[in-house]
Amino acid sequence: MAQLDATIVNVSLPDLVATLHAPFSHIQWVVSGYLLALALTLPLNGWLVSRLGGRAVYLWCFGAFTLTSGLCALAWSAPSLIVFRLLQGMAGGLLAPMAQMTVARVAGRQMPRVASAMTAPVLLAPLLGPVVAGAILSVASWRWIFLLNVPVGLAAFALAVLFLPDDRHDERFRPLDLTGLGFLAPALVSFLYGMDHVARPYGQATLGASLVLFVLYVRSARRKGDDALIDLRLLRAPAFSVSAIIMFLTNGVSFAGQMLLPIWLIHACGVSPERTGLFMAPLGLGMMCVYPLIGRLSDRFDARDLTGCGALISLVGTVILVVLAYSGLNVALLSIALLLRGGGGGAVGIPAMSAGYASIARTDIPMATTALNIMQRIGGPTLITACATFLGWRLATVAPSHVVSEAYAETFALLALFHGVLLLATRFIRPSEKKRQFGSN
């Protein structure tokens, strides 16, 4: 539900402008505010689990998300809708890490297999958001976009009550690190906001403030050790540190590519927006073909080899994009490139995440989940901004006759460089002490 709601509202923005009688500059906060709120509650994940237990936090998240979805549907003005969306995002921000933590606790060595089975809905939800919204708006008002969450949320709440085990006895109570929360939560929100508006002075100032807050948090966390909001000593485990870096880079190259491709197709190749969506379909197809196989592949191959192979395949796909930007659009080659990028990227994240979880104690999983989710979420805006800034600079400096052949190709080359860094990072995953033989169960 949280992933679906990140994109489902986009299609309804024109209707919201008309029915709520508010300018688009205000209404866009229905989307932006939700995305920022998703990051706001992430640092609280570990403490809430230690205080209430994973099952209780999960139930509270489902209940709060369902309730705030209903409130969004009842909103009477733009400010009220924005406030309810902020509350909805704060509840939704914990749904994904709580699901990830719950799976990590029960899956054990089967983590790659279980994670690959549960990834399809998470991948499909953002893709289906605009489609579902369009279908709803063709027969009903925008309010039904939010009401859709109510029966789904109630069903999820009932299933969680019936099937999730009570884990309060597994938790060690941690005091709430208010100082760390005061540094880390606004640091995350201001970082994401600043990266999204880095071209403007206030965005740069916000980004600078976020970096100061991050430094202050690191100093505070190192002093508090195990009592910190996120125990930075987890990063002393090389496998976990490498996993966090890979999650950052994997999310970053994925989102940066999804940002660059439509711009290149529409503005440099003259492809219509409708056809652009069709041209990008192989990207999702590649992911969907690989994810169900990750469990079996992880049984047969070492995590370092599997992630390295996936990173190499996605790098090859990106190099093809560099060639296409120089030579001109070829739909067949573009489809191959996107299949390689989607499939290769799909083979990196889950094995790397599983290797990171395998390197820490079970009691540290809630805190590790928070750290991995934070690294994953800041990877996207960081590399998006890097590529977008570079593209804007090259478009402003190269001769008009060479814009397509140089500016876009060089920006894809920068993206390929980030893929190369990702490939290098996968080589630092520690090989399994005992590799499984091909064909073993």
Side-chain angles (χ1 to χ4, degrees):
M1 291 193 299
Q3 296 293 331
L4 185 72
D5 271 48
T7 58
I8 195 172
V9 180
N10 293 344
V11 178
S12 67
L13 291 180
D15 280 3
L16 292 175
V17 170
T19 57
L20 297 179
H21 309 290
F24 184 81
S25 60
H26 292 173
I27 291 297
Q28 65 92 19
W29 278 100
V30 172
V31 176
S32 299
Y34 177 83
L35 295 176
L36 291 176
L38 285 176
L40 185 63
T41 51
L42 267 180
L44 284 172
N45 180 67
W47 176 79
L48 285 172
V49 171
S50 73
R51 179 75 176 178
L52 305 174
R55 180 177 184 269
V57 175
Y58 210 4
L59 291 174
W60 276 104
C61 289
F62 271 126
F65 193 89
T66 304
L67 175 62
T68 51
S69 296
L71 291 175
C72 288
L74 299 175
W76 57 90
S77 64
S80 65
L81 179 58
I82 292 170
V83 170
F84 294 147
R85 280 284 281 178
L86 287 171
L87 296 175
Q88 186 191 36
M90 292 172 69
L94 290 176
L95 282 178
M98 286 304 304
Q100 184 176 316
M101 184 204 75
T102 303
V103 168
R105 281 180 159 181
V106 300
R109 292 182 176 273
Q110 298 299 319
M111 179 66 182
R113 184 183 294 273
V114 177
S116 66
M118 65 172 285
T119 304
V122 179
L123 284 175
L124 284 173
L127 298 175
L128 290 177
V131 177
V132 174
I136 291 175
L137 292 174
S138 66
V139 296
S141 75
W142 59 266
R143 299 182 186 275
W144 285 93
I145 289 177
F146 299 107
L147 288 174
L148 177 69
N149 288 328
V150 175
V152 178
L154 291 175
F157 187 90
L159 290 171
V161 169
L162 291 173
F163 294 106
L164 288 186
D166 188 354
D167 58 352
R168 283 175 293 181
H169 60 279
D170 294 336
E171 307 300 341
R172 182 179 67 82
F173 175 71
R174 298 175 183 268
L176 178 59
D177 178 14
L178 289 173
T179 303
L181 181 63
F183 288 144
L184 188 56
L188 284 171
V189 173
S190 57
F191 180 83
L192 294 175
Y193 181 85
M195 291 298 290
D196 195 40
H197 299 81
V198 72
R200 300 181 181 181
Y202 64 85
Q204 297 166 9
T206 304
L207 185 60
S210 73
L211 297 178
V212 172
L213 289 171
F214 276 125
V215 171
L216 292 174
Y217 174 77
V218 170
R219 291 183 59 186
S220 173
R222 291 180 64 183
R223 186 174 65 252
K224 293 188 176 183
D226 192 33
D227 291 331
L229 197 65
I230 298 177
D231 188 355
L232 296 181
R233 290 178 298 181
L234 287 173
L235 298 176
R236 294 180 183 176
F240 184 79
S241 298
V242 171
S243 177
I245 293 170
I246 291 175
M247 297 303 289
F248 173 90
L249 291 169
T250 301
N251 194 266
V253 295
S254 175
F255 275 84
Q258 291 179 46
M259 179 273 298
L260 285 174
L261 281 164
I263 296 175
W264 171 61
L265 288 171
I266 294 172
H267 295 130
C269 302
V271 179
S272 66
E274 295 79 10
R275 293 180 66 200
T276 296
L278 293 175
F279 283 177
M280 292 184 64
L283 185 65
L285 181 62
M287 294 181 184
M288 296 303 297
C289 289
V290 170
Y291 269 115
L293 302 176
I294 289 297
R296 294 181 180 178
L297 292 174
S298 297
D299 285 342
R300 297 177 177 179
F301 300 102
D302 188 74
R304 184 170 73 169
D305 297 333
L306 185 55
T307 56
C309 181
L312 178 61
I313 290 173
S314 59
L315 171 60
V316 172
T318 308
V319 171
I320 295 176
L321 294 178
V322 177
V323 175
L324 288 175
Y326 268 122
S327 60
L329 177 63
N330 181 300
V331 177
L333 271 180
L334 176 64
S335 299
I336 294 173
L338 296 186
L339 278 171
L340 292 175
R341 273 182 57 83
V348 175
I350 290 176
M353 179 180 65
S354 302
Y357 277 125
S359 67
I360 60 172
R362 189 175 186 273
T363 54
D364 289 327
I365 285 179
M367 193 166 288
T369 300
T370 303
L372 287 177
N373 274 271
I374 288 175
M375 289 295 290
Q376 190 174 9
R377 292 200 182 186
I378 65 177
T382 301
L383 296 198
I384 282 175
T385 300
C387 291
T389 302
F390 182 83
L391 176 62
W393 171 67
R394 291 301 292 143
L395 288 174
T397 56
V398 299
S401 60
H402 298 92
V403 167
V404 172
S405 62
E406 292 185 10
Y408 286 96
E410 290 174 7
T411 307
F412 280 123
L414 176 63
L415 181 61
L417 178 62
F418 289 133
H419 276 280
V421 176
L422 172 61
L423 175 60
L424 179 63
T426 63
R427 308 319 298 161
F428 287 90
I429 295 178
R430 185 173 299 175
S432 301
E433 294 182 5
K434 184 179 180 180
K435 293 186 179 183
R436 301 179 188 79
Q437 297 297 318
F438 184 86
S440 65
N441 292 322

